[in-house]
Amino acid sequence: MIGKETFHKISIVFLYLFFVLSPFSISLSQIFAGASVFFRLLDFLWQKKTPRPETYFFFWILLYLGFLIYPLLNPSPSGWKHIFLKTEFGDVWMAFLLLHHTRLSRIEKTNLKKAVLIGAVFLILSGILSLFSPYRLAPFVMDGFQYVEGRRLPHQLGTLFGIFPFYLPIGFQSTHLTYGGMFAIYLPSIFLTAYRSAPTLSKKKKFKFLFFFLLILAFLGLVLLFLNQSRSVWFGLLFGLFLLSFQKKVSIKKYLPWLGIGFFLIAVLLYLFYHNNWLFQRAIDELFAKRSLENQRIWIHKMNFEILKDSFLLGVGSGNYPTEFIKRATFLVFEAPELYYDLSITPKSHAHFDFLHFWILGGFTSVFAYLSFLYLITKKILQVGKSNLFYLGFFSIIFAGSFQCFLLDDEVLLPFLGLLVLLPATQKEKKTRTENPYLRNQNKVFGILLLWMFTSSLGALYLTKIPAKELFFHRARTEHNFPMPIAQSAINANNANNAVPLPEGTQEIYFKLVGCLDHEVNFDSNPKLRVSPIQLHIHWEDSPEGNLPKTLNLEIRKRESFDQDKEYRVQKERIVKRDIFFNPRQIQKIQVHPNEYLGKGIEFVDFGFLFSWQGEKPILPRIEISENCD
């Protein structure tokens, strides 16, 4: 017998499971979220009631409807079925999670907040497991708890006590960014619960145990987030705390000593990691580098603003971002063929900036809807009062969304919307002549959000001003494919002596110079074997600055050219030829003809250099190579 509240209770059960199990699987989170929405709609039908959602629900729907304006005016050959199911618009169903908001009672929301807390515990435990796992957990479990050859392995961060290796923590997620985004949503629930349990310390032992357990979890969560290296989430959480501080009068003097100690410990930790871990060093360096080994974001923003320049009013429509990206990338590669690989491995599915992506797809309609949604949610969060720390993840994701498309990632978007379901229902306010302090704070906070959107958009626009030619440079790598700065400085060195000094006592140094493609290819053409030889010059002339290497053992290497980040497996390499050269005291020319050592499809031609010295003051000769290896 189906009771009056049967469908309602079933929808809550699925919503509870959704919060608890989302950290383990995107499939599970989608299944439970979808089931919860389905039974919520059945509940409305059974009760013969019309849903009365909050206003922000309609703005979130309008955001997606904006994606359909261009397809309505310019019908796609792929048809509407493709747009509804295979593009960004297909995620519109997730908005119906927000229908839970006005139907849930206060007690039900309190119980669901406990589910978020349990999910946070699972997120931390899975992070600890992945921290010490030599395999990525999600594919490892899916493959029957065995490692399948070729599967991509996690990045090793270092070794604990010089014995136990530990790795970049990502839990059961596919990327560290997704894991960081989920942390932003789940971790504040532990902070708030620990804060609330503090006054109970003096009452019973079980309360003391709970407090210290939560404190340890919070600490572990912060450590995992730090090691996870989702920089946008780090700053997003700080940004959110800054916004929430507008509601609280905090005595800075009272907390100044603890803040000083905390910042000192963080600075020491950052210093130690920066000088002892290449992965963390790269993460920090890229915050300030104009030209880095990872400049894909610059390419993305170049394409973003090129697309906006032509379609800022109505947008390009759902599912059309990759096509528009490739149109503009094709022209760049035609002008500079060496840019093909960098542009080909650059993600083309989204703008890596939530606000810009919504603008590109839906024009001003989606911009208006998105900003209105932010305004209304900001108002509701600030009206929560002391418990608004629970919703810190909202502001963190909005901030971090200026560096990644977190709101296009189902694994982050679903719990993000689920979090908003737990906001208190709107209460009718009594009309008074006195100024509403919440409204004043809301305007301040929303104004800061708008300022951040504007500033970050200008920052993205600034990146586009870097000339395309300056973004390409040949990489120098160690034997294990890590960046090698000292060898990098010898590639096309522009110093007067054509040489780079090495540490005293250096007798040998090995590095690889990568990547010259053995085919000519563009996005609108089939690859064809290049005609011109691949070549470089070693400036082995005498130098008064020190001793040039006596010998060079040179490797000609071939490597697969697919994107290993996309394929989640390691690129295969092979050595096809070895030569030895003695110092000729003049420029040494190295040539490889593209029709030699052909493999399957497009491959890289790389070079392995093993230089050997005798005597003091070793210096590394300049290696001259053109952008297109001509």
Side-chain angles (χ1 to χ4, degrees):
M1 185 71 181
I2 299 177
K4 186 177 180 181
E5 296 291 315
T6 300
F7 293 132
H8 172 70
K9 291 178 180 178
I10 293 174
S11 71
I12 293 175
V13 170
F14 279 116
L15 192 59
Y16 195 97
L17 291 172
F18 158 72
F19 280 121
V20 170
L21 298 177
S22 285
F24 290 111
S25 168
I26 177 59
S27 299
L28 286 177
S29 67
Q30 288 178 333
I31 289 170
F32 290 131
S36 181
V37 168
F38 175 74
F39 282 101
R40 170 61 59 228
L41 295 174
L42 278 182
D43 176 55
F44 285 123
L45 290 173
W46 189 257
Q47 300 282 351
K48 296 181 180 179
K49 292 181 179 178
T50 304
R52 295 182 179 179
E54 298 277 3
T55 308
Y56 59 76
F57 167 79
F58 298 105
F59 281 115
W60 191 255
I61 294 292
L62 180 62
L63 172 68
Y64 282 83
L65 291 178
F67 300 169
L68 301 181
I69 295 175
Y70 182 85
L72 280 171
L73 300 176
N74 303 274
S76 170
S78 57
W80 287 99
K81 182 179 179 181
H82 173 79
I83 292 173
F84 288 149
L85 300 178
K86 302 293 184 181
T87 69
E88 295 92 343
F89 185 80
D91 288 340
V92 69
W93 72 269
M94 299 179 191
F96 289 92
L97 266 177
L98 298 174
L99 293 178
H100 284 288
H101 179 256
T102 53
R103 185 70 176 91
L104 294 172
S105 68
R106 187 174 182 179
I107 294 176
E108 288 167 342
K109 289 181 180 180
T110 301
N111 289 331
L112 287 168
K113 286 181 179 179
K114 294 177 183 177
V116 176
L117 182 63
I118 295 171
V121 174
F122 286 155
L123 193 65
I124 291 171
L125 292 177
S126 67
I128 294 172
L129 189 60
S130 67
L131 184 64
F132 297 102
S133 170
Y135 310 114
R136 290 176 177 254
L137 293 181
F140 183 70
V141 172
M142 284 170 36
D143 293 331
F145 295 93
Q146 61 181 349
Y147 174 69
V148 176
E149 187 178 357
R151 284 282 194 182
R152 195 171 173 222
L153 298 172
H155 293 295
Q156 183 176 339
L157 289 177
T159 53
L160 192 63
F161 308 119
I163 301 173
F164 305 105
F166 62 98
Y167 305 87
L168 189 72
I170 61 173
F172 282 89
Q173 276 62 57
S174 56
T175 69
H176 77 288
L177 291 169
T178 297
Y179 187 68
M182 294 190 73
F183 249 126
I185 295 168
Y186 277 92
L187 199 56
S189 65
I190 294 181
F191 296 155
L192 180 62
T193 310
Y195 174 75
R196 282 178 170 175
S197 63
T200 64
L201 275 174
S202 59
K203 295 181 179 179
K204 293 182 180 180
K205 287 185 178 181
K206 66 177 184 179
F207 291 123
K208 290 182 179 180
F209 173 80
L210 175 64
F211 174 75
F212 286 111
F213 175 70
L214 291 170
L215 207 60
I216 291 170
L217 279 178
F219 174 75
L220 290 174
L222 289 174
V223 170
L224 287 171
L225 184 61
F226 175 75
L227 295 176
N228 173 256
Q229 300 188 19
S230 296
R231 293 160 292 176
S232 55
V233 176
W234 298 349
F235 295 113
L237 288 171
L238 292 174
F239 179 74
L241 287 171
F242 169 71
L243 294 181
L244 293 179
S245 69
F246 279 93
Q247 275 198 301
K248 303 181 183 346
K249 293 182 178 180
V250 180
S251 174
I252 299 296
K253 290 183 180 179
K254 180 179 178 181
Y255 295 100
L256 194 59
W258 292 104
L259 288 173
I261 293 171
F263 279 120
F264 175 75
L265 291 175
I266 291 172
V268 171
L269 198 60
L270 287 172
Y271 178 83
L272 292 174
F273 262 89
Y274 183 80
H275 286 280
N276 293 282
N277 185 269
W278 76 269
L279 198 60
F280 188 81
Q281 188 178 56
R282 186 185 70 176
I284 297 300
D285 288 347
E286 285 172 12
L287 288 173
F288 310 102
K290 181 179 178 181
R291 293 178 62 185
S292 78
L293 297 175
E294 301 291 340
N295 48 34
Q296 294 178 352
R297 194 175 311 281
I298 301 176
W299 293 122
I300 291 170
H301 286 316
K302 278 182 175 290
M303 302 302 109
N304 288 342
F305 284 96
E306 284 295 320
I307 297 169
L308 273 178
K309 186 171 63 176
D310 301 326
S311 310
F312 67 92
L313 185 59
L314 300 178
V316 300
S318 189
N320 290 329
Y321 180 87
T323 306
E324 296 296 325
F325 185 108
I326 289 173
K327 279 182 186 177
R328 288 150 181 86
T330 302
F331 175 76
L332 274 176
V333 175
F334 179 78
E335 294 290 322
E338 66 274 6
L339 298 179
Y340 170 76
Y341 183 72
D342 279 1
L343 285 165
S344 70
I345 66 171
T346 297
K348 305 171 188 61
S349 58
H350 53 83
H352 277 67
F353 191 143
D354 284 321
F355 174 68
L356 287 184
H357 191 82
F358 294 147
W359 189 357
I360 288 170
L361 262 58
F364 280 168
T365 301
S366 293
V367 167
F368 169 74
Y370 182 60
L371 295 180
S372 300
F373 176 81
L374 294 187
Y375 177 82
L376 294 172
I377 295 296
T378 299
K379 179 179 179 180
K380 288 197 70 65
I381 290 176
L382 294 182
Q383 289 177 344
V384 170
K386 293 181 179 180
S387 299
N388 58 23
L389 181 63
F390 184 84
Y391 306 98
L392 174 63
F394 170 81
F395 295 113
S396 179
I397 292 298
I398 297 304
F399 177 93
S402 294
F403 304 97
Q404 301 290 336
C405 275
F406 281 106
L407 296 181
L408 292 180
D409 185 345
D410 293 1
E411 292 171 275
V412 176
L413 177 59
L414 276 168
F416 173 84
L417 294 174
L419 191 73
L420 304 183
V421 167
L422 305 180
L423 282 164
T426 300
Q427 298 178 352
K428 292 183 179 179
E429 298 179 5
K430 294 180 181 179
K431 294 183 179 179
T432 61
R433 293 185 180 181
T434 58
E435 184 184 5
N436 187 340
Y438 289 129
L439 181 61
R440 184 175 66 251
N441 289 331
Q442 171 204 341
N443 291 337
K444 283 182 182 178
V445 172
F446 184 68
I448 294 171
L449 276 177
L450 284 181
L451 179 62
W452 168 249
M453 294 284 181
F454 178 72
T455 305
S456 55
S457 297
L458 286 181
L461 180 62
Y462 169 76
L463 291 177
T464 68
K465 304 304 178 184
I466 302 173
K469 281 282 188 181
E470 288 187 16
L471 293 173
F472 180 87
F473 64 112
H474 291 282
R475 276 82 164 163
R477 304 283 191 180
T478 66
E479 181 182 2
H480 301 291
N481 292 323
F482 297 152
M484 192 174 188
I486 196 164
Q488 189 72 53
S489 61
I491 309 299
N492 292 326
N494 56 7
N495 55 55
N497 298 311
N498 289 331
V500 175
L502 295 173
E504 284 292 335
T506 300
Q507 294 182 332
E508 280 189 350
I509 188 172
Y510 177 87
F511 63 91
K512 293 188 286 189
L513 183 148
V514 303
C516 303
L517 285 177
D518 62 3
H519 282 67
E520 295 175 358
V521 64
N522 203 337
F523 295 102
D524 61 347
S525 63
N526 294 322
K528 60 180 181 179
L529 191 67
R530 62 180 284 170
V531 177
S532 59
I534 294 166
Q535 60 182 0
L536 57 89
H537 297 85
I538 301 172
H539 284 261
W540 227 330
E541 307 101 316
D542 284 334
S543 172
E545 299 297 316
N547 290 316
L548 287 160
K550 183 179 180 181
T551 61
L552 163 63
N553 285 279
L554 180 72
E555 298 170 345
I556 309 297
R557 309 174 66 96
K558 295 298 292 279
R559 175 168 52 95
E560 290 180 344
S561 64
F562 65 80
D563 176 16
Q564 65 177 3
D565 288 332
K566 191 179 296 180
E567 299 287 343
Y568 293 102
R569 63 188 180 94
V570 180
Q571 291 171 312
K572 293 181 180 178
E573 296 182 68
R574 68 188 192 277
I575 300 172
V576 295
K577 187 182 179 183
R578 286 187 172 93
D579 273 325
I580 184 167
F581 297 89
F582 293 92
N583 187 343
R585 300 187 181 280
Q586 61 183 3
I587 297 176
Q588 176 74 56
K589 184 177 182 180
I590 308 292
Q591 268 193 348
V592 178
H593 291 278
N595 58 1
E596 297 177 319
Y597 326 115
L598 287 176
K600 294 181 180 179
I602 305 174
E603 287 189 310
F604 282 116
V605 175
D606 298 337
F607 299 91
F609 297 89
L610 177 61
F611 284 111
S612 301
W613 285 265
Q614 288 182 352
E616 298 178 350
K617 292 186 178 180
I619 56 174
L620 190 63
R622 179 166 81 104
I623 298 175
E624 180 186 355
I625 184 169
S626 72
E627 289 84 355
N628 201 36
C629 308
D630 294 326

